[in-house]
Amino acid sequence: MNIADITFDQNDLGRPDLQCARQELAVAILQTFLAPTDHKDWYRLYREPPDKAEIEKRLAPVNKYFALLDPEGPAFMQDLTLEGGEPKPIASLLIDTPGGKTLKDNLDHFVKRGGYSAVCHRCCMIMLYALQSYAPSGGVGHRTGLRGGGPLTTLVEPPEVGATDWQKLWINVLPQSSLQDAYGREYAGTEPGDWTRILPWLQPTRTSERKGSEWYPADIHALHLLWAMPRRIRLDAETLKAGECQSCGCHSEQLITQYKTKNYGNNYDDSCLHPLSPYRTDKKGLRYAIKGKEGGLTYQDWLGISMQNQTPEAEGVSPALVVRDYATKADDYFQQAAFKASLWCFGFDMDNMKARSFYCQRFPLIHLDEVQLDDFHSVVETWLRAAFSAQNALRTYVKEAWFRYAKSVKGTLSQVSAHFWQQTDTAFFAKVAELAEQISRDGAAQSLNVAWWKLLQHHCLKQFDQWALDGPAQDKDMKRIVGAKNKLIKTLNSDKNLKTIKGDRDGQDIPKGV
């Protein structure tokens, strides 16, 4: 397979997870085989990209390592020495494919059996990459991906209107100097002798039946992180057939229908940090890749994945290396478009082995100088703390409005919180854009603080009325509902995080009984 085609391919693959995995795969190819020396070299190629013929020429020596069906030698993202193994339909490469028990119990109501029974080489390559990169727990010894199951990937999208496909990929490629600084070990991405350290399918799998077989950062090249291979898989070259690919619709004489798999593949320690994912540090100092979550990301997650953040639920969050590196690129090359770049975030929401949803979202990526960024960061943190307090109060008093003995009722009313974040999302980012512009001019933010407080109070009271009157309130006790609303009003006026942005002069208390 000509891997240069992946970097130019924009065909519809029929599934958002495969579309996103293809973009990540293309970035991995460019990062591994065409990485620039430094930021100056990076920017030159951003503005004057090589044509397809030049890229094909530079990638030609490594095309052989990306063959899918080599019965004797290495095959892309497949176990070099796998013998035997359990046969599986090719659709099982997809993370949301129903498992054996689900099929046996006829519970495949939403994701049906029988789809994606035969796929072309290109689509199979992307399916393999997606599984190896995002793999959840798959039963005893079937290892999760290097970042854990369903990791969040964050890619930068260029600030220019009408950015080319090349620029959308290249802006996520790190200079060799940045990788050296980040990982602290020799970067030698183009030496032929190093490919076995980078592409794990070129050497026998380090099977993980016993403790002590884990991969640690000191064991692997920095670029190996982009090609981590936790699952032992081998495509079946004896069950090919002709027809239309059930992913992209192209015709092929060699559609792939089956593979074999075994457990106890490469086992990566959590200390192996992937450059395209944000991480959270726990109280013990251990770092974990942030995962997709139920309901998708909201603005409560945004500050942590786009810049350092210390809000209550995002404490210890660090953006992906590729996002941090963009700050350097923006300083040098994108000052006039500092507020126009965006962050493309995608990942599975997993319930252990089961995929509940795949989310693909975009957020603004704001860049300011160091002093302005500190001011911006401080203000947005106070806004987020206020928003957390507001939604906690809303959820608490909706529960009191619904139930006579609210404290004894189990459940978190997560639907109330989710609705709050969704309904205030547009207003939050509108205020963030105003704040960035204002700080870049004169640094004043008090009027925006008060405006954000007023927006929070408006949404809380409006949503309280909707939930309290339309929800499953026991006996519709209006006295209880009015009492709960008055408590909400009191909290919106007196909570310390909300008072911080309300101030003493411009924010007026909400009268009870509103």
Side-chain angles (χ1 to χ4, degrees), residues 290-330:
I290 293 177
K291 310 297 192 296
K293 67 177 189 177
E294 188 174 4
L297 301 176
T298 66
Y299 67 86
Q300 63 180 308
D301 308 292
W302 166 73
L303 194 59
I305 62 177
S306 63
M307 59 187 77
Q308 301 295 94
N309 184 25
Q310 296 299 325
T311 54
E313 294 203 5
E315 190 168 347
V317 173
S318 178
L321 175 59
V322 69
V323 177
R324 302 197 304 271
D325 192 69
Y326 172 73
T328 301
K329 294 169 181 172

Side-chain angles (χ1 to χ4, degrees), residues 68-294:
L68 280 180
L69 297 171
D70 187 338
E72 302 295 333
F76 175 71
M77 289 214 132
Q78 297 166 62
D79 190 290
L80 180 63
T81 58
L82 183 68
E83 294 182 0
E86 179 186 2
K88 294 270 191 179
I90 201 65
S92 293
L93 291 178
L94 298 170
I95 288 174
D96 61 352
T97 294
K101 188 176 187 304
T102 300
L103 297 177
K104 182 180 178 181
D105 296 341
N106 290 316
L107 295 177
D108 53 326
H109 303 308
F110 301 105
V111 181
K112 299 290 187 181
R113 71 190 78 192
Y116 291 82
S117 60
V119 296
C120 67
H121 285 218
R122 180 195 59 169
C123 291
C124 191
M125 170 180 277
I126 296 167
M127 289 165 65
L128 267 172
Y129 187 80
L131 177 62
Q132 299 283 23
S133 298
Y134 315 143
S137 173
V140 177
H142 290 279
R143 302 301 182 188
T144 62
L146 176 140
R147 296 171 278 179
L152 183 69
T153 297
T154 55
L155 298 178
V156 177
E157 294 197 314
E160 298 101 331
V161 175
T164 65
D165 292 336
W166 166 265
Q167 289 174 329
K168 291 176 183 179
L169 292 174
W170 194 248
I171 201 165
N172 293 289
V173 173
L174 300 165
Q176 296 178 26
S177 56
S178 295
L179 279 179
Q180 288 176 342
D181 292 342
Y183 292 100
R185 52 184 181 269
E186 183 180 2
Y187 179 82
T190 57
E191 294 296 326
D194 291 320
W195 297 133
T196 55
R197 295 177 58 211
I198 295 169
L199 308 177
W201 60 92
L202 300 184
Q203 59 180 312
T205 297
R206 182 191 289 184
T207 57
S208 54
E209 296 91 339
R210 298 181 179 87
K211 290 185 178 180
S213 58
E214 296 86 357
W215 286 94
Y216 291 95
D219 300 328
I220 56 179
H221 193 287
L223 291 174
H224 182 129
L225 302 170
L226 298 170
W227 305 102
M229 200 178 80
R231 296 293 184 91
R232 302 185 70 191
I233 289 170
R234 197 77 187 189
L235 299 177
D236 190 344
E238 297 180 359
T239 56
L240 305 178
K241 71 175 189 179
E244 285 190 358
C245 171
Q246 294 190 344
S247 177
C248 70
C250 76
H251 180 83
S252 173
E253 294 297 315
Q254 289 191 326
L255 294 176
I256 301 167
T257 65
Q258 186 171 287
Y259 69 94
K260 294 180 180 179
T261 185
K262 266 187 176 180
N263 53 1
Y264 297 112
N266 292 311
N267 189 15
Y268 295 95
D269 186 76
D270 290 328
S271 58
C272 298
L273 305 181
H274 195 285
L276 302 182
S277 283
Y279 281 78
R280 186 187 303 279
T281 304
D282 68 11
K283 293 180 180 179
K284 297 180 180 179
L286 301 176
R287 303 179 73 182
Y288 300 95
I290 293 177
K291 310 297 192 296
K293 67 177 189 177
E294 188 174 4

